Amino acid sequence: MRLVPLLFLIACGAPPESQVRPPDDIVSAPDRIPVEGLVHSTGSTTLVVDPYGELINVNVDSGTISRTNPRTNAVIEVPVGSEPTRLAIAGDSLWVTLRNERAVVELGVDTLEAGVIRRVELGAEPFGIVASPDGSRVYVALSQDAAVLELDANLQVLRSFTLPGEPRYLALHPGLGHLYVGLGRSKQPLRDIDLASGAITAVPLPDTELRQIHFEVDETDPEAEPEPEPIPLESRITGDLWVTDDGSRLLVPALYLDTTTPIMALSSIAEIPGFNPEIEVEPNPGGYGGSISDAPIEPVDRITPAVVEVGLRSDGTVTTGMRALYAATQAGIGEPGQVGVVGSYISSVCSSPTGDQYVATMEASRAAVLIDATGDDRALIQLNRKNGSTQTIAVEALHTMGFEGPRTKALSAADGTNGAVFVGDDALYLHNAFAETVIRSDLVSARASLLGAALGAAEAAPAVQGWPVSRSDLGSQIREGRALFYSARGFQTGATGVSCSTCHFEGRNDGVTWTFDDGPRQTPTLAGVVSETQPVTWRSGVPSVMDEANITIRGRFFGPEADFATLSSIAAFVDHTRLPDPPTNDPAAVERGAQVFVQAACSGCHLGSRAMDNSSHLIRGVEVNTPTLSGIAASAPYFHDGSSPTLRDVLERSRDGSMGNTASLTSAQMDDLEAYLRSL
């Protein structure tokens, strides 16, 4: 245990000093008094409130958890293990997933300072965790083992549910009959587990009903009215789920994606002979953060965040009632008059105890969004467009596209905002993982502005108090690079509402295949030391991570020409991200598979420590760079065009000899080869 110095860490991306009242010196805490009426956390989260109204959060960089007493300003920090990711609290127990140790640990709520009292290893990359209010059942998502485990109070496994698609986020219905699972990489990312029968049901989000209105102009007749063309939107779940206190609604953080409209490949710019920060890269209106239509009333871009309400019956079964609440807004940032889009992906969502307001944390926007869940009466939405113009949007336009337009208010936060919790109905706390702080939002002013329908470029509601909860030894260049990589609001990276982390989720990839003007491309993973795999990207000869960062910032995010320090910091962070923990495999099968790998001539191109040759090859008519096989189990789908959903599909397609040759392999040998690849 250690006491954290209470100096607010402005340098780490905390709210400006004018927005925060630094806490007083640490004082001895009086006898802890239980607080009545606290809401049990229903979803996996990075921040919980204990029975005494004190806050407990994970510190992933430090390998610790911290407890903050908002009344006395006392903060303690307790070591728990590598990469604490989510926590759950029930009764006298606190459970924490250790993502990089394949483990869950238990601590005592009243004896937190004593540290870990129980530890159990469960499987590859445990992520989300939730518990029943009495602590008799604990549920853990093993994201890389494609499973969700049901544990008893002693952390003994009772049942295992298989869920391909990287299960990450969990929520438990108050009636305890249903568990909801958010998958990190799946075309149908939401699952409902009936805990009585064990049945697993896919719950379609309303993406098949949502249509962006893309206006086609008749070039032969300039006077003709543009014709609307519907474009289907694909959905991802991007953060922690929540069930309202009354059990009537499941809240799902979703990102709606137009993967159909082509993105300009910028192939001419990509042909850079070497890194040159002086190169002039023109902004690309067809880029990642660009509008995909010139329609004057279109609020939806290529990438749009929403909170999806899923209706629930009293027993937890899903109803047909769903709403997609448009969550993008804007707020003043930095210099007076500068406005940024608060519209990155949602890293978590929670509801107030009364259920009439939601808070969506925007990890890459250094902000959260307070959402009025009671109606759809915001008459106008004003957004700063990514090309610098301002648009006023009628709510009716949102309705046309299947979204509801609730009143919203931006809340100031800091780097890596990814957890929120209400303490009663009057206090809201936010966890900023990268800034390593917990702050209290000015909920009074935020609600006044929200209910007064204050729109446009109003300043974000400030924090009124904050606490540093840790200080990891992460280097300053990596910190800076991470802040830039996750920046969807900073003008140095374009303030587009889109960040590098939007697609390269956690420095990995989003499992999405995008349409470029020269063909489909699957998002490549950035896990591990990417500089070892240069040149980068699938099809163009971009020589380094720094070059690709320059192209992305200027050409696709509308940012300024980046200097050497900016780009080298981004590259340092990208190289810092670790490879995924391989899923659990049979060691004997892996050993046999290594021999089959050579037999099938896979090692001709996939060789060396990163299993690649840093060269390009003609694969099915397209010249593509050889991808690394490091961490391949966590990077589906496969091939540059995402055309193979599974590793087994890749191996079956290789029977034609176009890439290695698996034609002579038996089914058992294919199993072994797949096990070997999954172990890399």
Side-chain angles (χ1 to χ4, degrees):
M1 180 194 74
R2 64 183 181 186
L3 298 179
V4 179
L6 294 182
L7 299 175
F8 210 86
L9 306 178
I10 301 296
C12 295
E17 188 172 5
S18 61
Q19 297 181 2
V20 176
R21 184 179 75 250
D24 301 326
D25 291 338
I26 295 176
V27 297
S28 298
D31 292 338
R32 304 175 76 208
I33 302 173
V35 176
E36 298 294 330
L38 295 179
V39 175
H40 179 72
S41 294
T42 59
S44 52
T45 178
T46 68
L47 178 68
V48 296
V49 57
D50 75 8
Y52 307 98
E54 298 182 24
L55 308 163
I56 305 176
N57 68 274
V58 295
N59 301 308
V60 64
D61 292 331
S62 301
T64 63
I65 61 171
S66 295
R67 182 171 66 199
T68 302
N69 186 327
R71 299 182 300 279
T72 66
N73 297 321
V75 179
I76 65 168
E77 188 175 6
V78 180
V80 291
S82 182
E83 291 189 25
T85 300
R86 295 294 188 271
L87 41 72
I89 190 170
D92 297 329
S93 294
L94 177 79
W95 298 275
V96 185
T97 54
L98 301 181
R99 192 178 181 190
N100 200 27
E101 292 188 11
R102 297 185 162 222
V104 168
V105 294
E106 181 183 355
L107 299 90
V109 172
D110 290 321
T111 58
L112 202 66
E113 295 88 338
V116 173
I117 59 177
R118 182 182 286 114
R119 181 183 188 276
V120 59
E121 291 192 15
L122 297 173
E125 296 207 355
F127 198 98
I129 186 168
V130 292
S132 60
D134 64 359
S136 62
R137 291 293 183 272
V138 179
Y139 298 91
V140 180
L142 301 180
S143 58
Q144 294 306 315
D145 272 342
V148 171
L149 304 182
E150 181 183 58
L151 314 176
D152 64 16
N154 296 315
L155 300 183
Q156 299 300 304
V157 177
L158 301 177
R159 287 188 289 180
S160 178
F161 303 95
T162 300
L163 290 101
E166 198 168 315
R168 285 171 163 257
Y169 314 109
L170 302 178
L172 183 62
H173 190 266
L176 307 182
H178 286 259
L179 181 72
Y180 313 103
V181 184
L183 305 177
R185 44 195 335 108
S186 174
K187 294 291 186 181
Q188 289 189 310
L190 182 62
R191 297 290 186 275
D192 170 19
I193 301 178
D194 185 326
L195 294 174
S197 66
I200 303 173
T201 305
V203 180
L205 297 181
D207 55 344
T208 56
E209 300 173 4
L210 292 170
R211 294 291 185 271
Q212 172 142 346
I213 303 303
H214 178 75
F215 289 85
E216 293 290 339
V217 178
D218 184 353
E219 300 292 345
T220 63
D221 185 2
E223 301 299 323
E225 289 291 327
E227 291 293 327
E229 176 189 352
I231 300 176
L233 302 180
E234 185 176 330
S235 63
R236 280 176 53 202
I237 292 178
T238 58
D240 291 312
L241 315 175
W242 189 269
V243 179
T244 55
D245 191 34
D246 63 1
S248 66
R249 286 156 286 165
L250 170 66
L251 307 182
V252 181
L255 204 58
Y256 284 93
L257 312 171
D258 170 21
T259 60
T260 303
T261 304
I263 299 170
M264 292 179 65
L266 298 177
S267 56
S268 61
I269 295 173
E271 295 169 1
I272 303 173
F275 172 68
N276 181 4
E278 303 300 324
I279 190 169
E280 293 187 2
V281 181
E282 292 299 319
N284 173 16
Y288 304 137
S291 173
I292 63 174
S293 170
D294 294 326
I297 61 169
E298 181 189 356
V300 183
D301 283 337
R302 194 183 305 279
I303 299 171
T304 302
V307 173
V308 174
E309 285 182 343
V310 178
L312 303 175
R313 298 183 179 90
S314 59
D315 63 353
T317 55
V318 173
T319 71
T320 56
M322 290 191 188
R323 295 197 303 167
L325 304 178
Y326 181 76
T329 185
Q330 65 176 5
I333 59 172
E335 296 297 322
Q338 286 190 342
V339 178
V341 176
V342 179
S344 64
Y345 54 90
I346 302 171
S347 49
S348 72
V349 63
C350 70
S351 68
S352 62
T354 57
D356 59 346
Q357 292 173 342
Y358 307 149
V359 173
T361 58
M362 298 283 191
E363 183 175 65
S365 290
R366 303 188 305 282
V369 177
L370 181 65
I371 299 172
D372 176 19
T374 61
D376 184 25
D377 56 355
R378 183 167 59 170
L380 297 174
I381 303 168
Q382 188 178 18
L383 279 182
N384 263 34
R385 302 301 301 161
K386 294 156 180 70
N387 61 8
S389 65
T390 299
Q391 249 180 353
T392 300
I393 305 150
V395 167
E396 286 74 12
L398 284 172
H399 290 172
T400 302
M401 287 163 266
F403 290 93
E404 302 244 350
R407 292 176 293 183
T408 59
K409 177 65 178 180
L411 309 172
S412 289
D415 285 346
T417 314
N418 67 353
V421 64
F422 282 88
V423 178
D425 196 52
D426 299 324
L428 172 67
Y429 295 89
L430 303 176
H431 174 223
N432 307 298
F434 302 157
E436 297 173 305
T437 61
V438 170
I439 61 176
R440 178 171 175 170
S441 289
D442 186 352
L443 197 55
V444 174
S445 67
R447 281 174 167 163
S449 178
L450 178 75
L451 298 177
L455 304 175
E459 292 294 318
V464 295
Q465 194 171 9
W467 301 266
V469 292
S470 184
R471 179 60 175 175
S472 66
D473 58 3
L474 202 64
S476 60
Q477 187 183 41
I478 293 174
R479 284 182 184 275
E480 176 65 17
R482 180 172 62 183
L484 292 165
F485 190 88
Y486 280 81
S487 176
R489 277 181 62 190
F491 282 92
Q492 71 273 29
T493 49
T496 60
V498 179
S499 66
C500 302
S501 61
T502 302
C503 296
H504 297 285
F505 205 54
E506 296 185 328
R508 298 182 183 182
N509 71 327
D510 57 4
V512 174
T513 300
W514 301 87
T515 301
F516 280 73
D517 57 6
D518 60 351
R521 293 189 199 173
Q522 181 251 109
T523 305
T525 180
L526 299 184
V529 184
V530 178
S531 61
E532 295 177 348
T533 71
Q534 295 171 170
V536 296
T537 76
W538 279 109
R539 295 184 55 187
S540 53
V542 181
S544 71
V545 176
M546 293 174 68
D547 287 304
E548 179 61 17
N550 187 34
I551 292 169
T552 300
I553 291 171
R554 181 60 175 158
R556 300 195 179 103
F557 285 172
F558 307 100
E561 294 292 347
D563 58 23
F564 184 88
T566 294
L567 298 175
S568 59
S569 293
I570 293 173
F573 167 70
V574 170
D575 276 353
H576 167 75
T577 59
R578 70 168 175 84
L579 287 169
D581 186 11
T584 303
N585 294 284
D586 176 8
V590 171
E591 185 176 354
R592 294 191 302 268
Q595 298 174 4
V596 177
F597 185 78
V598 176
Q599 176 185 336
C602 304
S603 57
C605 297
H606 295 286
L607 67 162
S609 61
R610 294 301 301 270
M612 64 175 299
D613 61 2
N614 298 86
S615 300
S616 62
H617 300 272
L618 191 67
I619 301 297
R620 292 185 171 85
V622 178
E623 192 82 12
V624 295
N625 293 329
T626 306
T628 176
L629 298 185
S630 300
I632 191 173
S635 63
Y638 302 102
F639 292 116
H640 68 283
D641 57 3
S643 57
S644 287
T646 66
L647 276 175
R648 189 53 170 253
D649 186 54
V650 172
L651 299 181
E652 293 294 343
R653 290 178 66 174
S654 297
R655 289 190 183 277
D656 64 3
S658 62
M659 187 181 66
N661 194 337
T662 60
S664 63
L665 300 184
T666 66
S667 178
Q669 287 176 312
M670 293 283 269
D671 290 342
D672 291 342
L673 178 55
E674 184 177 357
Y676 171 70
L677 293 173
R678 285 165 53 85
S679 74
L680 297 176

